[in-house]
Amino acid sequence: MFCNQCEQAANGTGCNISGVCGKKPDVAALQDHLLYGLKSLALYAVKLGRNAEIDRFTIEGLFSTVTNVDFEAARIGDLIKRCYELKEKAKTAAGVTITGPVADWKPADDLAGMVAQGEAHGLSTLHVNEDIRSVIEILTLGLKGMAAYMDHAMILGKTDDEVMAFFQKALAATTDANLGLMDFVGLSMECGKQNLTVMGLLNTAHTDAYGHPVPTQVQLGTKAGKAILVSGHDLKMMEEILKQTEGKGVNVYTHGEMLPAHGYPGLKKYSHLVGNYGGAWQDQAKEFANFPGAIIFNTNCIQKPAESYTDRLYTWGLVAWPGVKHIDGWDFTPVINKALECPALPENPGQEILTGFGHNAVLGVADKVIAAVKSGAIKHFFLVGGCDGAKSGRNYYTEFAEKAPKDTVILTLACGKYRFNKLEFGDIGGIPRLLDVGQCNDAYSAIQIAVALAGAFECGVNDLPLSMVLSWYEQKAVVILLTLFHLGIKNIKLGPTLPAFITPNVLNFLVENFNVGPITTVDADMKAMLG
């Protein structure tokens, strides 16, 4: 195997024995095989035009290959078989003949054969030129990240024909030997543009269903009673858990990226949504061992479970781990029954933290923010957000938040905020100095805040007293970065390390065009940002 798609790639280059995430070589090969099959399907989907079944499968197939989603070999094998069925169906419906090994792809009949085929379709086969291969990989990882966001939007009934056409066009393009470096640079920038549309769709899906987030205090302690802990991003799944547990004596807690659910009126109305338990995804093994209730994952956050809680652990949607019980569909009765069988949590109140500062909430007090900037009460804004992870160097973000001057405001989103969201930052004229914008899925809100401020001050986003200090881990962060590039946003600091899939020449291109750079030391970076 060889996988370098996440920030924890072994030795800073790639995992070649077993994934740091827990992915085994057979699963890695099957995911490579599935991606190859999706490219084959795309060749015919481009000719066929919009087909809801093919489009939906493409999203699910791509999302299944994102880091920390599907670790179950048999499930991926089933996806490969389904991909071939859809490819043959599209081939017949399109009525065209396409020649070449990708178009002619056919999976083996058994899992071992599919693994062997997958081993022949690894990253090294993308292109002979390492720089072109690097940009193809950036595009591919961007498509994976965008598929994750689109999956959530589709679950809530939102889609977009232009975006879906781009998925197929871009996947097909990765097989075209006639395309060069700048062709794939252009496609990557277009991926960022399309992702802005997707994030807008997802924002609309969330707010249509649950209302705009409002600033909300979230309890970090526990309430006496039976409990379910929900980890992930999918709000529809959270809503169903809340509906089905209402009146049954089961309290519901959020974990990781589900924390911002507390800010949505349509979810916070449930009195048994009682708090947030634990921190970011990488701490789950030690935290879940101390949570006596049922636990369920719904998106890309799972890691190898400890035996101490495997018997009360569940997965849902596209998430899967060998030996862990999986919930198909929307009936969560097994999870609820398990929660009722488990010991109750104690009454143990704890600290409260604020969430719910989506763009609607922030822009609702824009006049106060603008006045504070004009008066000099607010000197600078920092967007300190992104993915958290276990690799060393992420204490940088804690130190950065701690050292941010008291006349600055910190916007944050995604699970990287767990590095500092329990610290006390105070306020500036009633405006909290730490504004939790939400999940990584809510990056659209952060962009809207920046654009609105630029409009108010009649300048470009790059001219605002705003600095972006981002942490990345997986493919959703990659596509958000492409969206920021599409918007022309420059001077981004990225860490804790730079992606292993970016070659020196590609990095030089990004530096020259966007002045993106690695984090260094907090003191040096902050001095440069504050001038």
Side-chain angles (χ1 to χ4, degrees), residues 152 155-156 206-207 210 232-242 257-258 260-262 264 267 298 330 439 441-442:
H152 296 300
I155 286 172
L156 286 168
H206 285 165
T207 56
Y210 310 115
H233 303 76
D234 198 273
L235 298 186
K236 174 64 176 174
M237 183 267 209
M238 170 59 87
E239 179 188 31
E240 288 300 320
I241 290 276
L242 290 168
E257 285 271 53
M258 196 54 80
H262 292 272
Y264 287 91
L267 299 175
N298 64 40
W330 297 95
Q439 303 175 334
N441 293 19
D442 298 311

Side-chain angles (χ1 to χ4, degrees), residues 59-186:
I59 296 304
E60 293 180 352
L62 284 169
F63 193 7
S64 295
T65 69
V66 169
T67 303
N68 289 2
V69 177
D70 193 343
F71 294 82
E72 177 58 71
R75 284 175 61 89
I76 303 173
D78 288 342
L79 288 173
I80 291 170
K81 293 175 184 176
R82 179 64 179 149
C83 187
Y84 178 71
E85 291 171 0
L86 288 173
K87 189 263 285 192
E88 290 297 295
K89 183 177 178 179
K91 179 179 178 180
T92 300
V96 296
T97 300
I98 305 174
T99 58
V102 183
D104 294 337
W105 164 73
K106 182 179 181 180
D109 293 330
D110 61 359
L111 205 59
M114 285 188 268
V115 169
Q117 288 174 316
E119 290 170 347
H121 299 311
L123 294 176
S124 62
T125 65
L126 288 177
H127 204 281
V128 294
N129 181 289
E130 67 172 3
D131 293 327
I132 296 177
R133 185 164 65 245
S134 175
V135 182
I136 291 174
E137 189 170 2
I138 291 171
L139 171 61
T140 303
L141 300 183
L143 293 172
K144 290 185 179 189
M146 184 162 64
Y149 296 129
M150 182 56 96
D151 183 67
H152 296 300
M154 283 182 155
I155 286 172
L156 286 168
K158 303 291 185 181
T159 188
D160 183 277
D161 284 347
E162 183 180 339
V163 171
M164 294 314 308
F166 176 75
F167 270 108
Q168 305 299 352
K169 180 183 81 170
L171 282 168
T174 63
T175 72
D176 190 343
N178 295 316
L179 298 182
L181 182 65
M182 295 311 297
D183 294 308
F184 289 110
V185 169

Side-chain angles (χ1 to χ4, degrees), residues 475-497:
Q475 298 80 70
K476 290 157 76 175
V478 173
V479 79
I480 288 174
L481 197 60
L482 291 178
T483 297
L484 295 176
F485 291 158
H486 157 69
L487 292 169
I489 295 175
K490 298 182 178 182
N491 307 316
I492 297 168
K493 286 290 185 182
L494 186 65
T497 59

